[in-house]
Amino acid sequence: MKDKRKAYEEKLEAQLKEWSAQIALLKAKADNARADAKIEYYKTVDALQHKKNEAKAKLQELKTAGDEAWEELKAGAEKAWAEVKTAFHHASSRFK
């Protein structure tokens, strides 16, 4: 169980790093965008950052949870992760 839990947490950490890189890329695009597009980029970046921070908080809860609570918290973390993935998907399709 411990190995499976650690692997799951490491997978989530890797995803957080990937999302941070994607947010940085969107910020760079925003910096180079026209004024009207820049506003939309920054709104999107702020929303994505907020969602990513929520997912990061869920990961922290998972890391500190006891074995019994961990399974329950895992479901909440997966829901948060799905919301972030959806937000990133919408953002990437919107700003291609």
Side-chain angles (χ1 to χ4, degrees):
M1 175 67 176
K2 293 280 186 198
D3 290 339
K4 186 177 178 182
R5 178 177 172 168
K6 184 166 177 59
Y8 184 78
E9 290 171 356
E10 287 173 355
K11 177 182 136 188
L12 296 183
E13 285 177 351
Q15 184 67 63
L16 282 173
K17 287 179 184 177
E18 182 180 323
W19 287 335
S20 291
Q22 289 176 354
I23 287 172
L25 181 64
L26 281 174
K27 283 182 182 177
K29 285 183 179 182
D31 291 340
N32 295 319
R34 296 183 329 266
D36 57 335
K38 193 176 281 199
I39 293 168
E40 285 302 311
Y41 268 111
Y42 284 127
K43 283 182 184 177
T44 301
V45 165
D46 286 343
L48 290 173
Q49 186 68 46
H50 180 73
K51 289 279 189 194
K52 187 190 86 140
N53 289 342
E54 288 177 357
K56 187 175 183 178
K58 289 288 185 188
L59 176 57
Q60 286 307 116
E61 286 180 36
L62 276 176
K63 285 183 169 187
T64 59
D67 288 338
E68 291 178 19
W70 191 85
E71 285 296 330
E72 291 178 26
L73 289 172
K74 183 180 171 189
E78 288 177 352
K79 183 178 181 229
W81 244 249
E83 289 174 6
V84 178
K85 283 182 182 180
T86 300
F88 270 97
H89 175 72
H90 288 303
S92 65
S93 64
R94 191 171 168 195
F95 294 112
K96 282 191 174 184

